[in-house]
Amino acid sequence: MKKVLAWVLALALVLSSFAMSFAAYSDADAVADANAQTAVRVLTALGVITGYPDGSFKPAKDVTRAEMAALVIRAMGMDDNMGNYETKYSDVAKSNWCSGVVYYATKLGIIEGYPDGTFKPNNPVTYFEAITMILRSLGYRDEYLIGSWPANFVNQAEELGTY
């Protein structure tokens, strides 16, 4: 796991040295922070961030649970345009843009729904949910971490230096 994380970080550093631009986004000038601009450039170049169909990036918009699942799937090198799948969640229709992503992210153990059988794809992703998705995509599983959620994933992220 540490080798994978080190490789991804090294690749990000190398790519950030290139003159990549996310000026193709109609609202790119809304990202004022230089560090954020670098992160957006790198993640765009890697295909992790793709923007919205209208050509915007929407940097001030909260990332939803479905969008975070798509980001993680893309970061894993998988195509997020997986088609429409029937999920086990009552609030993710087969026709929803995220049904394939939610289906595969669930199957891979990256995401979980709520006890009421919903996923709440349009809810903003919490920091704890995002950390959990990222670490699960790297192979960390609840049963192997000490403590209960979310502290177990936060502690692991701190140990890895990614918190």
Side-chain angles (χ1 to χ4, degrees), residues 27 136 156:
D27 54 356
R136 283 180 178 159
Q156 187 62 51

Side-chain angles (χ1 to χ4, degrees), residues 12 14-22 38 41-42 45-46:
V14 169
L15 289 175
S16 68
S17 67
F18 296 125
M20 293 178 286
S21 174
F22 66 103
T38 299
R41 283 187 197 110
V42 171
L46 292 172

Side-chain angles (χ1 to χ4, degrees), residues 93-126:
K94 190 175 180 181
S95 61
N96 192 316
W97 73 268
C98 70
S99 67
V101 168
V102 170
Y103 173 82
Y104 277 104
T106 301
K107 189 173 182 171
L108 294 171
I110 295 168
I111 61 173
E112 294 178 2
Y114 293 95
D116 66 357
T118 63
F119 178 67
K120 298 180 174 62
N122 297 320
N123 280 9
V125 68
T126 68

